[in-house]
Amino acid sequence: MFAHARWLLVAGAWVVVPSLSAQGATSRVLSGEQVVRRVDSLWSVAVARGTRKEDGTPGLRYWTQSARYELHATLDAQISTLRGSGLLRYRNRSPDTLSVIALALAQNLFRAGAPHSEPVPVTGGITIQTLCVARLSRAAPTELCDSALNGSLQNFRIDNTVAWLTLPRPLLPGDSVDVRAQWEFVIPGIGAPRMGTDGSVAMIGYWYPQFVVYDDVVGWAADPYLATGEFYMDHAEYDVRISVPSGYLVGATGVLQNAHEVLSPAVRERLQRAATSFAAVAVVSDSLRLAAGATLPNKQQTWHFTAPVARDFAFYASRDVVWDAMAALIPNARGTRDTVLIHALYRPREREWKRAADYGRQSVEHFSARLWPYPWKQMTLVEGVVNGGMEFPMLTVVSDNGGPRSLMTTIAHEIGHMWFPMQVGSDERRFAWMDEGMASWMERSLSRTISGREDDDDGIPDLYRTVASIQLEQSMLTHADHYRNAMTYTAASYDTL
């Protein structure tokens, strides 16, 4: 997430926001020092077990869990409610036998009375309508739910943003479990962190029950979502269908599989042209949008996306946006170059966004050359809703009114997150600097390359100097939900490299 959402510079003075920890105290979140001490002791156990080496690299016995999500989301005509269903498959690749499974329900941040570290709207949170264990064995999949949970939530305990599913039989090492679920929630409006709707566009993130990370160091990493600290997620496979009313355009994690079922022939032809164009192509112009010529004339359309390796899935929908696309060139192991299709979806009133696709191209190409190649086939930039910017795999949402340079640096920062944490997979709540610090360094690297100025830091070090001068500095190892205020969080997490 971009730092614009974390601190403000007003009339030459830093505005200190209220304490992050005062509003959302919860016994499950340890203090920063306790987290570091606990992880350090658990790390020593992991080293002794051979899952990690002392230098932090994976050991000979290292493992990670795996999951597959087959999901279907439906938005109503007002993009105010989401209804979801899906099959969630979890494979236990650890050496441990698991009697419970933890699921993240991030939408419960918006329930009345839920603990939170900054102001959030109240929507009622997520309603789980049905949930059952469909399979728990090495046998072939079956459509029959386990009778112990069929049609009942009696073995499903919700603790705000984390739920615990007690399995009818323990999940053995190497075994897998299928969980079927149906749910719905009211999409939060303006003021929700990282996602939501303003009635014109909808940015949908954290919208499905997601398996909590179970790792070799801490076991279930079940810290609650309190709004400030971000996320820790395992990579998984996604197969997702998104149903929206006719005329809506959808941008998402993954690659669209059924363009011929949702997009008009004219749009499909322009997308093909954009795949080899190094200038932005108007895939959906404003005139085409107003003429209802972008999508096929069905009452409802279902967009189908797949992502074989991603740590999350998010999407964006609107009937009020135009769509530009162009190609970026990145190096590959063969010594040649591959193309990545860069998409930009935005409302026509946002004139600075006419350059957004090219900003995305510059970012993907620069970071691929400076670090390692971008691994996916597409990168989508979407406009609106959030304060500043927020990253999701292969998708970033940006709302920035600071002019072309500010838009470029915000896009660069969010695309930097495609490497950290989207590929590296760090724990953003316990170690926020590994996420935001790296993305800030990448953003500045591109800015310096474009401007040719070595001191081109966009003022972020000034924040650190201010915090240090008034003796509010805190350790960069502090848990993200335990900084004194947003200014100290930003200084420690964004200005570390």
Side-chain angles (χ1 to χ4, degrees):
M1 189 169 185
F2 195 60
H4 285 178
R6 292 296 171 208
W7 44 271
L8 299 172
L9 180 61
V10 180
W14 294 107
V15 176
V16 182
V17 303
S19 169
L20 291 175
S21 59
Q23 300 176 46
T26 177
S27 60
R28 183 164 291 174
V29 178
L30 304 175
S31 71
E33 290 184 1
Q34 287 174 312
V35 167
V36 172
R37 286 199 301 269
R38 181 168 179 255
V39 171
D40 185 62
S41 63
L42 293 171
W43 186 270
S44 299
V45 174
V47 171
R49 290 177 176 171
T51 60
R52 302 293 177 109
K53 297 178 182 178
E54 291 187 358
D55 64 359
T57 56
L60 292 176
R61 297 181 179 178
Y62 179 73
W63 51 266
T64 57
Q65 305 290 60
S66 70
R68 174 180 169 82
Y69 297 89
E70 298 175 11
L71 307 174
H72 189 175
T74 300
L75 297 186
D76 63 4
Q78 292 75 39
I79 56 174
S80 61
T81 301
L82 181 143
R83 294 177 176 85
S85 62
L87 173 67
L88 293 60
R89 175 167 295 170
Y90 185 79
R91 184 180 178 188
N92 182 15
R93 301 200 299 189
S94 81
D96 305 326
T97 297
L98 306 176
S99 59
V100 297
I101 297 290
L103 292 163
L105 303 178
Q107 287 298 315
N108 278 348
L109 174 71
F110 307 113
R111 290 174 62 177
H116 49 88
S117 55
E118 53 192 70
V120 298
V122 175
T123 66
I126 190 169
T127 298
I128 303 295
Q129 297 164 320
T130 62
L131 185 138
C132 60
V133 173
R135 182 175 70 99
L136 182 61
S137 71
R138 291 186 174 89
T142 175
E143 293 301 314
L144 298 176
C145 290
D146 192 293
S147 60
L149 282 171
N150 189 16
S152 170
L153 301 183
Q154 61 184 352
N155 293 328
F156 189 62
R157 178 176 61 85
I158 297 177
D159 183 7
N160 291 311
T161 59
V162 178
W164 298 91
L165 172 62
T166 301
L167 300 174
R169 294 184 302 277
L171 185 64
L172 301 176
D175 203 354
S176 61
V177 59
D178 286 356
V179 178
R180 290 194 179 276
Q182 290 183 306
W183 64 92
E184 68 177 26
F185 60 85
V186 173
I187 302 168
I190 295 295
R194 305 180 178 94
M195 56 86 62
T197 182
D198 60 7
S200 171
V201 301
M203 178 65 242
I204 309 298
Y206 323 115
W207 57 278
Y208 58 96
Q210 185 180 40
F211 296 115
V212 170
V213 172
Y214 183 84
D215 68 24
D216 64 309
V217 176
V218 301
W220 291 112
D223 290 1
Y225 178 39
L226 300 179
T228 298
E230 295 191 55
F231 303 95
Y232 182 27
M233 299 165 168
D234 271 330
H235 289 88
E237 181 180 359
Y238 289 87
D239 189 306
V240 180
R241 288 170 170 80
I242 302 162
S243 294
V244 293
S246 178
Y248 276 79
L249 296 178
V250 177
T253 297
V255 176
L256 180 64
Q257 300 298 306
N258 65 335
H260 62 287
E261 295 178 350
V262 294
L263 297 175
S264 69
V267 171
R268 297 201 303 271
E269 185 278 326
R270 294 177 189 182
L271 272 177
Q272 287 183 331
R273 184 152 39 96
T276 57
S277 173
F278 302 108
V281 173
V283 175
V284 175
S285 63
D286 200 28
S287 59
L288 186 64
R289 177 186 70 85
L290 292 172
T295 62
L296 296 178
N298 304 322
K299 289 185 178 180
Q300 188 179 66
Q301 292 163 325
T302 298
W303 298 57
H304 180 201
F305 295 87
T306 62
V309 181
R311 65 177 235 156
D312 194 13
F313 189 101
F315 66 94
Y316 173 93
S318 176
R319 60 159 53 103
D320 297 330
V321 296
V322 295
W323 180 0
D324 296 339
M326 65 186 300
L329 282 177
I330 61 169
N332 60 36
R334 302 184 302 275
T336 58
R337 294 194 174 189
D338 294 326
T339 59
V340 173
L341 192 56
I342 309 296
H343 304 280
L345 282 75
Y346 59 95
R347 286 169 285 198
R349 71 189 187 206
E350 301 295 336
R351 298 183 183 277
E352 300 292 352
W353 271 76
K354 288 185 176 294
R355 298 187 61 187
D358 192 53
Y359 294 151
R361 176 196 63 80
Q362 293 179 61
S363 300
V364 167
E365 290 182 347
H366 179 77
F367 302 149
S368 293
R370 191 73 188 269
L371 295 171
W372 62 86
Y374 183 85
W376 298 297
K377 294 181 179 180
Q378 69 90 15
M379 178 69 217
T380 299
L381 317 173
V382 299
E383 171 267 323
V385 181
V386 304
N387 182 12
M390 182 60 199
E391 71 282 357
F392 304 88
M394 295 168 257
L395 174 71
T396 183
V397 56
V398 174
S399 179
D400 191 297
N401 298 315
R405 176 177 172 80
S406 180
L407 179 61
M408 184 273 289
T409 56
T410 304
I411 287 174
H413 181 99
E414 303 308 334
I415 291 181
H417 283 302
M418 299 305 112
W419 281 259
F420 303 91
M422 296 306 164
Q423 295 179 63
V424 173
S426 56
D427 183 342
E428 302 169 79
R429 288 180 187 160
R430 291 185 172 97
F431 308 108
W433 71 271
M434 296 178 67
D435 166 40
E436 299 298 353
M438 291 303 298
S440 296
W441 173 80
M442 294 169 73
E443 165 203 338
R444 294 195 294 272
S445 172
L446 178 61
S447 294
R448 291 167 180 170
T449 298
I450 292 173
S451 70
R453 291 164 41 196
E454 285 299 319
D455 62 343
D456 195 3
D457 290 322
D458 270 353
I460 289 182
D462 293 336
L463 173 65
Y464 174 78
R465 285 190 283 270
T466 298
V467 169
S469 69
I470 58 178
Q471 298 182 338
L472 286 178
E473 183 181 7
Q474 286 183 263
S475 168
M476 59 194 281
L477 293 178
T478 301
H479 191 290
D481 291 310
H482 279 272
Y483 283 94
R484 294 188 186 96
N485 53 57
M487 187 168 70
T488 56
Y489 165 79
T490 302
S493 302
Y494 288 75
D495 188 27
T496 56
L497 299 171

